[in-house]
Amino acid sequence: MTDAAKRSRTNPTTVYFSGAPCECAPGETVLDALLRQKPDLAYSCKKGTCLSCILKADGPVPAEAQEGLSPTLAKQGFFLPCLCPPLDGMLIEPAEGKGLFADATIESADQLAAHITRIRLRPNEAFEYEAGQFINMRRDDGLTRSYSLASVPGQDDLLELHIKRLENGIMSNWAADGASVGDAVEIQGPNGSCFYLEGNAGGPLMMIGNGAGLAPLQAIARDALDRGHRGDIHLYHGSRHADGLYMRDELAELASQHANFYYHPCLSGSAVPKGCRRGRAEDVAFGDHQDLKDWHLYLCGYPPMVEAARKTAFLKGASLANILSDAFELRELRIEPRD
Ligand SMILES: Cc1cc2nc3c(=O)[nH]c(=O)nc-3n(C[C@H](O)[C@H](O)[C@H](O)COP(=O)(O)OP(=O)(O)OC[C@H]3O[C@@H](n4cnc5c(N)ncnc54)[C@H](O)[C@@H]3O)c2cc1C
């Protein structure tokens, strides 16, 4: 634990948000302290994964509050209040108007499957990214959520998101029912390091995802093939029900075009139609391949699956450095559950 974290466990400290003092209770993060005064501040996972809560500091920032940020953002004083033990006298400003978010327009919104909405965005300015990275999308009321990029630079003209509808989920239901062509949103990113790495063109790749976890994985697979990856690529997509296995035709087509690309649709429910594998994606994948030494793995989607698969892959010989992942962490609703 850093000195700053130790101090904040014992002494109440005062930070200043847009000039207004905010007292932080011992052990509290800057985000939780600020939320008591400003409940409408943007945040989601509170784990440092999604970056939705990013703010800017004028002055020193505890190192742990900038872990996972790009050096450019860290240098400019951006930090994650959800990971930040308060420093007494810390001066904090909103991230708005600081060049972090860029404007984009919704070019299309349609249903890829019963619960998956595809949103295509046209950024107003050039937006460089790697297939599989994620962005934060902010609605005009400030609601911000993270979404992985399903598009591939050089192959797809627009930024593409696959958004799974969740019961009572605010953004995902808006994407499905409320978002219209021409709507303006803001985007921040690209974020994350879950993308294809060159230098291993002959090695095997294993991709495991469930639900909308397919979005980054199919993009990484297409990107890898486009860049001439020669090793085998196994993509395992899991769902409980057949209608969750979206893009089946497209992925089967991709497999027919590339002898080294294998698509494995997996169903964990009781009905398993022809062409699908029975079981959870991670169980099927690890059943197929016992020794993962020299494999590179990509894991995306439901956080408990990602965590369990990471452990299993490591135990089967994969190096931790070769396991890239994005856990789709949801907003923390335990502290302030909605009615
Ligand atoms: C790095 C990263 C990448 C991601 N990529 C994707 C992606 O590509 N596609 C995708 O679909 N998602 C992705 N996510 C998840 C996404 O950011 C959102 O969290 C998700 O879309 C839900 O947002 P929402 O506003 O619809 O739900 P929220 O309103 O934030 O609700 C979150 C959860 O709480 C539940 N809930 C709602 N009301 C209540 C209540 N009263 N009590 C208890 N629980 C309740 C909802 O059902 C939902 O499960 C990603 C997340 C991260 C961190």
Side-chain angles (χ1 to χ4, degrees), residues 43-45 49-52 115-116 134-136 143-150 161-174 211-213 215-216 246 326-334 336-339:
Y43 76 93
S44 188
C45 77
T49 308
C50 72
L51 316 193
S52 306
H115 301 290
I116 303 279
F134 72 93
I135 59 167
N136 281 311
L143 184 81
T144 309
R145 297 285 185 268
S146 311
Y147 293 103
S148 300
L149 289 159
L161 314 177
H162 298 169
I163 303 183
K164 184 171 179 189
R165 188 199 284 265
L166 298 180
E167 199 184 341
N168 296 324
I170 303 177
M171 187 71 98
S172 58
N173 281 284
W174 175 76
Y246 67 101
D326 266 331
F328 289 4
E329 300 285 354
L330 300 178
R331 179 163 173 146
E332 163 69 270
L333 287 172
R334 280 170 298 179
E336 285 185 67
R338 284 185 209 131
D339 296 332

Side-chain angles (χ1 to χ4, degrees), residues 57 62 72 84 128 143 167 200 222 229 277 307 311 316 329:
T72 323
C84 188
E128 284 181 20
L143 184 81
E167 199 184 341
N200 172 46
R222 289 194 288 131
H229 189 86
R277 311 279 303 273
E307 207 31 57
K311 283 188 192 139
K316 285 178 172 286
E329 300 285 354

Side-chain angles (χ1 to χ4, degrees), residues 65-233:
Q66 294 187 314
E67 268 169 30
L69 289 187
S70 69
T72 323
L73 291 181
K75 226 184 243 172
Q76 294 173 77
F78 289 106
F79 74 103
L80 299 178
C82 66
L83 298 181
C84 188
L87 292 179
D88 202 30
M90 198 172 174
L91 301 176
I92 303 168
E93 301 160 21
E96 281 98 37
K98 306 286 189 306
L100 193 62
F101 280 83
D103 294 328
T105 309
I106 296 182
E107 288 277 317
S108 70
D110 58 347
Q111 293 304 125
L112 269 185
H115 301 290
I116 303 279
T117 309
R118 172 172 56 190
I119 296 276
R120 287 197 175 116
L121 297 173
R122 184 177 297 284
N124 290 11
E125 293 162 20
F127 187 87
E128 284 181 20
Y129 67 99
E130 299 282 349
Q133 286 191 292
F134 72 93
I135 59 167
N136 281 311
M137 180 168 76
R138 184 159 73 185
R139 241 175 27 178
D140 63 359
D141 63 355
L143 184 81
T144 309
R145 297 285 185 268
S146 311
Y147 293 103
S148 300
L149 289 159
S151 42
V152 181
Q155 290 187 37
D156 303 309
D157 185 26
L158 301 171
L159 302 181
E160 181 168 317
L161 314 177
H162 298 169
I163 303 183
K164 184 171 179 189
R165 188 199 284 265
L166 298 180
E167 199 184 341
N168 296 324
I170 303 177
M171 187 71 98
S172 58
N173 281 284
W174 175 76
D177 303 327
S180 306
V181 173
D183 281 354
V185 292
E186 290 174 294
I187 56 173
Q188 177 274 321
N191 306 307
S193 50
C194 190
F195 52 81
Y196 180 68
L197 298 172
E198 282 183 336
N200 172 46
L205 308 183
M206 179 183 286
M207 303 176 172
I208 308 176
N210 41 27
L214 181 65
L217 296 181
Q218 57 76 36
I220 298 165
R222 289 194 288 131
D223 189 33
L225 292 167
D226 200 41
R227 293 187 197 212
H229 189 86
R230 299 185 309 277
D232 286 348
I233 303 176

